[in-house]
Amino acid sequence: MRFDLNNLNPGTWLDIDESKPEDGAICLRVLNDDTRRKLHKKHTSRKFVRGRQLEELSEPAFYADMWDYCILDWKGICDADGKPVPCTAANKALLMAESPVFANIVSGLLDHLNIEAARRAEEAEKN
């Protein structure tokens, strides 16, 4: 098995609808544990209350960064006028937070990537 040590978690292009590839595609990568911990730490504030340290996670900022990491690019995502929506951090966060359809598509595609990664790992262990 080969690994690109300069890019251990590359993106994978997935059609939004496999039966209609012309509808667009999204380039995704899975959120690995190390990156999840780093993002959690980045968006967690700590304060002392009555001698006890409390942690508070800024969920909107955490999720915005998480989606920015996982969604690398897209094709065929357009606004109501048919104009392409740029793949920016702000647009990723907006679509994931406000569009149940988009969020379900991305979540389903990420589930597919996770299942495929687990299958490959299992296959590699057998060999």
Side-chain angles (χ1 to χ4, degrees):
M1 184 173 265
R2 294 181 183 195
F3 294 95
D4 179 353
L5 297 180
N6 295 313
N7 189 9
L8 291 170
N9 193 3
T12 301
W13 281 98
L14 299 162
D15 292 330
I16 292 172
D17 183 345
E18 288 183 1
S19 66
K20 295 191 272 180
E22 67 276 4
D23 282 357
I26 303 176
C27 186
L28 298 171
R29 64 178 165 190
V30 294
L31 181 66
N32 58 48
D33 289 337
D34 186 50
T35 302
R36 178 182 290 278
R37 277 191 294 276
K38 286 176 184 174
L39 291 178
H40 194 275
K41 183 177 180 179
K42 175 182 175 182
H43 296 292
T44 300
S45 62
R46 290 166 183 80
K47 61 183 175 183
F48 284 91
V49 176
R50 295 184 185 156
R52 297 181 69 194
Q53 183 178 358
L54 302 177
E55 293 184 351
E56 185 174 322
L57 176 67
S58 171
E59 288 186 10
F62 171 78
Y63 285 116
D65 271 2
M66 181 181 77
W67 296 127
D68 190 39
Y69 177 85
C70 292
I71 303 170
L72 298 175
D73 201 359
W74 57 52
K75 299 175 191 171
I77 304 296
C78 299
D79 66 13
D81 297 324
K83 295 177 185 171
V85 174
C87 186
T88 64
N91 285 338
K92 295 172 197 180
L94 176 67
L95 286 167
M96 289 303 294
E98 301 295 330
S99 172
V101 171
F102 185 82
N104 283 332
I105 289 168
V106 170
S107 295
L109 293 173
L110 283 170
D111 286 345
H112 173 75
L113 279 180
N114 281 316
I115 290 167
E116 187 62 24
R119 186 191 63 75
R120 285 188 195 144
E122 188 177 294
E123 210 171 81
E125 285 179 12
K126 290 179 183 177
N127 296 329

PDB file of all heavy atoms in Angstrom, residues 65-83:
ATOM      1  N   ASP A  65     -15.077  25.740  11.054  1.00  0.00           N
ATOM      2  CA  ASP A  65     -13.730  25.268  10.710  1.00  0.00           C
ATOM      3  C   ASP A  65     -13.740  23.800  10.291  1.00  0.00           C
ATOM      4  O   ASP A  65     -12.989  23.399   9.404  1.00  0.00           O
ATOM      5  CB  ASP A  65     -12.765  25.463  11.885  1.00  0.00           C
ATOM      6  CG  ASP A  65     -12.083  26.818  11.864  1.00  0.00           C
ATOM      7  OD1 ASP A  65     -12.386  27.632  10.963  1.00  0.00           O
ATOM      8  OD2 ASP A  65     -11.243  27.066  12.747  1.00  0.00           O
ATOM      9  N   MET A  66     -14.575  23.005  10.940  1.00  0.00           N
ATOM     10  CA  MET A  66     -14.651  21.590  10.591  1.00  0.00           C
ATOM     11  C   MET A  66     -15.131  21.426   9.149  1.00  0.00           C
ATOM     12  O   MET A  66     -14.550  20.668   8.372  1.00  0.00           O
ATOM     13  CB  MET A  66     -15.601  20.861  11.546  1.00  0.00           C
ATOM     14  CG  MET A  66     -15.705  19.369  11.263  1.00  0.00           C
ATOM     15  SD  MET A  66     -16.852  18.532  12.379  1.00  0.00           S
ATOM     16  CE  MET A  66     -18.414  19.011  11.654  1.00  0.00           C
ATOM     17  N   TRP A  67     -16.182  22.160   8.776  1.00  0.00           N
ATOM     18  CA  TRP A  67     -16.691  22.049   7.404  1.00  0.00           C
ATOM     19  C   TRP A  67     -15.707  22.633   6.407  1.00  0.00           C
ATOM     20  O   TRP A  67     -15.577  22.123   5.293  1.00  0.00           O
ATOM     21  CB  TRP A  67     -18.069  22.695   7.284  1.00  0.00           C
ATOM     22  CG  TRP A  67     -19.083  21.989   8.120  1.00  0.00           C
ATOM     23  CD1 TRP A  67     -19.913  22.543   9.037  1.00  0.00           C
ATOM     24  CD2 TRP A  67     -19.371  20.586   8.127  1.00  0.00           C
ATOM     25  NE1 TRP A  67     -20.690  21.562   9.631  1.00  0.00           N
ATOM     26  CE2 TRP A  67     -20.372  20.356   9.078  1.00  0.00           C
ATOM     27  CE3 TRP A  67     -18.865  19.487   7.431  1.00  0.00           C
ATOM     28  CZ2 TRP A  67     -20.885  19.084   9.348  1.00  0.00           C
ATOM     29  CZ3 TRP A  67     -19.379  18.221   7.694  1.00  0.00           C
ATOM     30  CH2 TRP A  67     -20.372  18.046   8.644  1.00  0.00           C
ATOM     31  N   ASP A  68     -14.987  23.669   6.808  1.00  0.00           N
ATOM     32  CA  ASP A  68     -13.979  24.229   5.913  1.00  0.00           C
ATOM     33  C   ASP A  68     -12.874  23.206   5.652  1.00  0.00           C
ATOM     34  O   ASP A  68     -12.339  23.122   4.548  1.00  0.00           O
ATOM     35  CB  ASP A  68     -13.395  25.514   6.502  1.00  0.00           C
ATOM     36  CG  ASP A  68     -12.524  26.260   5.517  1.00  0.00           C
ATOM     37  OD1 ASP A  68     -12.876  26.307   4.313  1.00  0.00           O
ATOM     38  OD2 ASP A  68     -11.490  26.789   5.937  1.00  0.00           O
ATOM     39  N   TYR A  69     -12.543  22.420   6.652  1.00  0.00           N
ATOM     40  CA  TYR A  69     -11.527  21.376   6.504  1.00  0.00           C
ATOM     41  C   TYR A  69     -12.040  20.222   5.642  1.00  0.00           C
ATOM     42  O   TYR A  69     -11.333  19.728   4.761  1.00  0.00           O
ATOM     43  CB  TYR A  69     -11.110  20.839   7.884  1.00  0.00           C
ATOM     44  CG  TYR A  69     -10.115  19.718   7.813  1.00  0.00           C
ATOM     45  CD1 TYR A  69      -8.758  19.978   7.702  1.00  0.00           C
ATOM     46  CD2 TYR A  69     -10.524  18.386   7.825  1.00  0.00           C
ATOM     47  CE1 TYR A  69      -7.836  18.945   7.605  1.00  0.00           C
ATOM     48  CE2 TYR A  69      -9.618  17.351   7.725  1.00  0.00           C
ATOM     49  CZ  TYR A  69      -8.270  17.640   7.625  1.00  0.00           C
ATOM     50  OH  TYR A  69      -7.367  16.611   7.522  1.00  0.00           O
ATOM     51  N   CYS A  70     -13.253  19.782   5.889  1.00  0.00           N
ATOM     52  CA  CYS A  70     -13.791  18.589   5.217  1.00  0.00           C
ATOM     53  C   CYS A  70     -14.212  18.843   3.776  1.00  0.00           C
ATOM     54  O   CYS A  70     -14.069  17.970   2.923  1.00  0.00           O
ATOM     55  CB  CYS A  70     -14.987  18.037   5.990  1.00  0.00           C
ATOM     56  SG  CYS A  70     -14.560  17.332   7.583  1.00  0.00           S
ATOM     57  N   ILE A  71     -14.751  20.009   3.492  1.00  0.00           N
ATOM     58  CA  ILE A  71     -15.219  20.335   2.141  1.00  0.00           C
ATOM     59  C   ILE A  71     -14.107  21.111   1.451  1.00  0.00           C
ATOM     60  O   ILE A  71     -13.830  22.269   1.786  1.00  0.00           O
ATOM     61  CB  ILE A  71     -16.516  21.167   2.178  1.00  0.00           C
ATOM     62  CG1 ILE A  71     -17.611  20.432   2.942  1.00  0.00           C
ATOM     63  CG2 ILE A  71     -16.959  21.507   0.759  1.00  0.00           C
ATOM     64  CD1 ILE A  71     -18.844  21.294   3.236  1.00  0.00           C
ATOM     65  N   LEU A  72     -13.469  20.471   0.476  1.00  0.00           N
ATOM     66  CA  LEU A  72     -12.348  21.109  -0.204  1.00  0.00           C
ATOM     67  C   LEU A  72     -12.772  21.924  -1.420  1.00  0.00           C
ATOM     68  O   LEU A  72     -12.171  22.956  -1.723  1.00  0.00           O
ATOM     69  CB  LEU A  72     -11.322  20.051  -0.623  1.00  0.00           C
ATOM     70  CG  LEU A  72     -10.687  19.274   0.530  1.00  0.00           C
ATOM     71  CD1 LEU A  72      -9.787  18.177  -0.003  1.00  0.00           C
ATOM     72  CD2 LEU A  72      -9.904  20.214   1.412  1.00  0.00           C
ATOM     73  N   ASP A  73     -13.777  21.463  -2.125  1.00  0.00           N
ATOM     74  CA  ASP A  73     -14.208  22.151  -3.337  1.00  0.00           C
ATOM     75  C   ASP A  73     -15.556  21.586  -3.767  1.00  0.00           C
ATOM     76  O   ASP A  73     -16.004  20.569  -3.233  1.00  0.00           O
ATOM     77  CB  ASP A  73     -13.174  21.950  -4.453  1.00  0.00           C
ATOM     78  CG  ASP A  73     -13.251  23.009  -5.551  1.00  0.00           C
ATOM     79  OD1 ASP A  73     -14.129  23.904  -5.476  1.00  0.00           O
ATOM     80  OD2 ASP A  73     -12.435  22.952  -6.486  1.00  0.00           O
ATOM     81  N   TRP A  74     -16.195  22.233  -4.720  1.00  0.00           N
ATOM     82  CA  TRP A  74     -17.419  21.696  -5.301  1.00  0.00           C
ATOM     83  C   TRP A  74     -17.583  22.189  -6.725  1.00  0.00           C
ATOM     84  O   TRP A  74     -16.984  23.174  -7.137  1.00  0.00           O
ATOM     85  CB  TRP A  74     -18.640  21.998  -4.464  1.00  0.00           C
ATOM     86  CG  TRP A  74     -18.938  23.450  -4.160  1.00  0.00           C
ATOM     87  CD1 TRP A  74     -19.039  24.483  -5.051  1.00  0.00           C
ATOM     88  CD2 TRP A  74     -19.228  24.005  -2.875  1.00  0.00           C
ATOM     89  NE1 TRP A  74     -19.357  25.642  -4.402  1.00  0.00           N
ATOM     90  CE2 TRP A  74     -19.480  25.388  -3.073  1.00  0.00           C
ATOM     91  CE3 TRP A  74     -19.303  23.494  -1.601  1.00  0.00           C
ATOM     92  CZ2 TRP A  74     -19.801  26.245  -2.021  1.00  0.00           C
ATOM     93  CZ3 TRP A  74     -19.621  24.348  -0.567  1.00  0.00           C
ATOM     94  CH2 TRP A  74     -19.863  25.697  -0.775  1.00  0.00           C
ATOM     95  N   LYS A  75     -18.405  21.453  -7.435  1.00  0.00           N
ATOM     96  CA  LYS A  75     -18.793  21.805  -8.805  1.00  0.00           C
ATOM     97  C   LYS A  75     -20.309  21.664  -8.880  1.00  0.00           C
ATOM     98  O   LYS A  75     -20.875  20.731  -8.324  1.00  0.00           O
ATOM     99  CB  LYS A  75     -18.176  20.831  -9.816  1.00  0.00           C
ATOM    100  CG  LYS A  75     -16.680  20.786  -9.843  1.00  0.00           C
ATOM    101  CD  LYS A  75     -16.225  19.694 -10.807  1.00  0.00           C
ATOM    102  CE  LYS A  75     -14.735  19.457 -10.645  1.00  0.00           C
ATOM    103  NZ  LYS A  75     -14.283  18.282 -11.384  1.00  0.00           N
ATOM    104  N   GLY A  76     -20.945  22.600  -9.553  1.00  0.00           N
ATOM    105  CA  GLY A  76     -22.384  22.482  -9.768  1.00  0.00           C
ATOM    106  C   GLY A  76     -23.248  22.991  -8.628  1.00  0.00           C
ATOM    107  O   GLY A  76     -24.463  22.808  -8.656  1.00  0.00           O
ATOM    108  N   ILE A  77     -22.669  23.646  -7.646  1.00  0.00           N
ATOM    109  CA  ILE A  77     -23.453  24.250  -6.561  1.00  0.00           C
ATOM    110  C   ILE A  77     -23.766  25.682  -7.007  1.00  0.00           C
ATOM    111  O   ILE A  77     -22.850  26.494  -7.188  1.00  0.00           O
ATOM    112  CB  ILE A  77     -22.682  24.252  -5.218  1.00  0.00           C
ATOM    113  CG1 ILE A  77     -22.241  22.849  -4.829  1.00  0.00           C
ATOM    114  CG2 ILE A  77     -23.518  24.918  -4.122  1.00  0.00           C
ATOM    115  CD1 ILE A  77     -23.371  21.879  -4.567  1.00  0.00           C
ATOM    116  N   CYS A  78     -25.055  25.970  -7.202  1.00  0.00           N
ATOM    117  CA  CYS A  78     -25.466  27.266  -7.743  1.00  0.00           C
ATOM    118  C   CYS A  78     -26.505  27.921  -6.845  1.00  0.00           C
ATOM    119  O   CYS A  78     -27.187  27.256  -6.073  1.00  0.00           O
ATOM    120  CB  CYS A  78     -26.057  27.074  -9.140  1.00  0.00           C
ATOM    121  SG  CYS A  78     -24.893  26.356 -10.318  1.00  0.00           S
ATOM    122  N   ASP A  79     -26.621  29.243  -6.995  1.00  0.00           N
ATOM    123  CA  ASP A  79     -27.648  29.966  -6.247  1.00  0.00           C
ATOM    124  C   ASP A  79     -28.979  29.881  -6.994  1.00  0.00           C
ATOM    125  O   ASP A  79     -29.085  29.217  -8.038  1.00  0.00           O
ATOM    126  CB  ASP A  79     -27.214  31.407  -5.977  1.00  0.00           C
ATOM    127  CG  ASP A  79     -27.093  32.265  -7.230  1.00  0.00           C
ATOM    128  OD1 ASP A  79     -27.578  31.849  -8.314  1.00  0.00           O
ATOM    129  OD2 ASP A  79     -26.516  33.368  -7.127  1.00  0.00           O
ATOM    130  N   ALA A  80     -29.981  30.567  -6.503  1.00  0.00           N
ATOM    131  CA  ALA A  80     -31.324  30.495  -7.085  1.00  0.00           C
ATOM    132  C   ALA A  80     -31.374  31.011  -8.518  1.00  0.00           C
ATOM    133  O   ALA A  80     -32.255  30.627  -9.289  1.00  0.00           O
ATOM    134  CB  ALA A  80     -32.307  31.285  -6.212  1.00  0.00           C
ATOM    135  N   ASP A  81     -30.420  31.861  -8.890  1.00  0.00           N
ATOM    136  CA  ASP A  81     -30.363  32.387 -10.259  1.00  0.00           C
ATOM    137  C   ASP A  81     -29.520  31.527 -11.185  1.00  0.00           C
ATOM    138  O   ASP A  81     -29.325  31.870 -12.344  1.00  0.00           O
ATOM    139  CB  ASP A  81     -29.807  33.818 -10.249  1.00  0.00           C
ATOM    140  CG  ASP A  81     -30.704  34.785  -9.490  1.00  0.00           C
ATOM    141  OD1 ASP A  81     -31.947  34.627  -9.562  1.00  0.00           O
ATOM    142  OD2 ASP A  81     -30.166  35.690  -8.829  1.00  0.00           O
ATOM    143  N   GLY A  82     -28.987  30.416 -10.656  1.00  0.00           N
ATOM    144  CA  GLY A  82     -28.165  29.532 -11.468  1.00  0.00           C
ATOM    145  C   GLY A  82     -26.706  29.923 -11.542  1.00  0.00           C
ATOM    146  O   GLY A  82     -25.931  29.319 -12.291  1.00  0.00           O
ATOM    147  N   LYS A  83     -26.301  30.912 -10.751  1.00  0.00           N
ATOM    148  CA  LYS A  83     -24.898  31.342 -10.734  1.00  0.00           C
ATOM    149  C   LYS A  83     -24.114  30.451  -9.779  1.00  0.00           C
ATOM    150  O   LYS A  83     -24.589  30.132  -8.680  1.00  0.00           O
ATOM    151  CB  LYS A  83     -24.788  32.801 -10.281  1.00  0.00           C
ATOM    152  CG  LYS A  83     -25.432  33.769 -11.238  1.00  0.00           C
ATOM    153  CD  LYS A  83     -25.347  35.185 -10.702  1.00  0.00           C
ATOM    154  CE  LYS A  83     -26.117  36.128 -11.615  1.00  0.00           C
ATOM    155  NZ  LYS A  83     -26.235  37.461 -11.024  1.00  0.00           N
TER     156      LYS A  83
END
